[in-house]
Every structure is written in C-alpha cells, then in structure tokens.
Amino acid sequence: MDPQNLRIVPVFSMDDQAWMRRSSVAMPKFWQGHSVAPLVGDVLRIGGRQFAVQGRVWEHDGTAPVLRLFLSSGHAESDTVFG
C-alpha cells in the first residue's frame, strides 16, 4: 500500500475532543512519510497527554483507503482538578 494514498484519522472521546478545542492542541502529522500504519497498543503523545490505540477500522472513502484509529481517553489523574 502506498503511504501517500492512506489517510489516518484518529477518533477521540468527546471529552478529549473538547479538551483539544479548548487548549488549541494541534494534531501532529505522526504518519507523514511512514509506510507502516499504527497498530493496536501503540501509544501517541499529543499535547502532553498519552493516548493508546484501542481499535482500528479500515474504510474506503471512494478515492483512497482510510484507517480510523480509536484512541483511549487521554485524561490522566494528574490532569484532574479537585474543587
């Protein structure tokens, strides 16, 4: 598979999506130029939080393959604020 044709789309929980919007966290281009797709169990660090790949779904959008990565929650105990 040609890595240029593969689109990788991370899927975050609703809480993590909201955190990314509030914090203006940009998604790094982890896979740009790599020929190996991420596997279940791989871990990504984004904006100081850690996300594990929990599942993968292959799709085709009509023009190219799409790999959706379902990620664990990035909410860590150290991020919790007790009020």
Side-chain angles (χ1 to χ4, degrees), residues 11-67:
V11 179
F12 296 92
S13 70
M14 297 297 282
D15 289 340
D16 289 326
Q17 287 178 30
W19 165 76
M20 290 178 83
R21 277 193 305 275
R22 282 191 313 272
S23 301
S24 300
V25 174
M27 184 64 189
K29 297 182 181 192
F30 288 116
W31 302 280
Q32 187 173 7
H34 290 269
S35 60
V36 178
L39 299 172
V40 171
D42 284 349
V43 177
L44 311 174
R45 194 139 178 88
I46 303 166
R49 292 189 180 182
Q50 189 167 295
F51 300 86
V53 177
Q54 292 184 319
R56 302 174 356 144
V57 174
W58 286 97
E59 299 175 339
H60 200 283
D61 66 3
T63 58
V66 177
L67 175 59

